[in-house]
Amino acid sequence: MTDGLVTITVVSSLILLLALRWAHRCWGKAIMATVFAPLVIVPLGFVAFLAIAFVLRGLNGVLVYFEAGFSTSAVGTTAAVLTISFTMGLLIYYCRDLRSTAGPMKGPWLGTRYTVADPKLNQKGRLR
């Protein structure tokens, strides 16, 4: 691996961790989501790239008849940019939606402790 690729991987992982921390409101859930995010993001990105490249190649096949076609590398680059945009859009939508449904959690630094509106129950430790 080149140093640039390692740097991009580390920086994007930290950005993902911070975004998921903001969405989950809990460091433990954010770390677990960051660790297991590639299990969802990589296959989703692969399928999205194939679908977008297939559509762009079909469009390029039509444009060739009008002598306005693009090179294969331009189609691949455009498909990659559109796939990254699509995946980032889904990640932003996921974090925004999760943030609106996740309530603030109080507890240890990496874990959670659920609380209710009645402070007497929380003080007696009935929810631990």
Side-chain angles (χ1 to χ4, degrees):
M1 261 189 177
T2 63
D3 291 336
L5 188 57
V6 170
T7 303
I8 289 172
T9 304
V10 169
V11 169
S12 62
S13 295
L14 287 176
I15 291 171
L16 180 64
L17 175 65
L18 292 176
L20 290 173
R21 165 57 178 101
W22 177 81
H24 284 286
R25 299 180 187 201
C26 172
W27 279 109
K29 289 181 181 180
I31 290 169
M32 292 303 289
T34 303
V35 168
F36 291 107
L39 294 175
V40 174
I41 293 174
V42 171
L44 177 73
F46 180 71
V47 170
F49 179 78
L50 287 178
I52 292 170
F54 181 73
V55 169
L56 288 177
R57 285 186 185 206
L59 180 64
N60 195 28
V62 171
L63 291 177
V64 167
Y65 291 114
F66 299 107
E67 297 180 2
F70 299 104
S71 67
T72 305
S73 63
V75 170
T77 303
T78 305
V81 168
L82 289 175
T83 301
I84 291 170
S85 301
F86 172 73
T87 308
M88 291 301 293
L90 284 179
L91 180 65
I92 290 169
Y93 179 74
Y94 170 77
C95 287
R96 182 183 57 100
D97 191 40
L98 186 65
R99 175 74 176 187
S100 66
T101 59
M105 297 181 181
K106 299 176 181 176
W109 187 60
L110 289 175
T112 60
R113 184 181 67 202
Y114 297 99
T115 60
V116 294
D118 187 7
K120 292 178 186 175
L121 291 176
N122 292 326
Q123 290 172 356
K124 292 178 182 177
R126 295 182 189 219
L127 294 175
R128 291 183 190 173

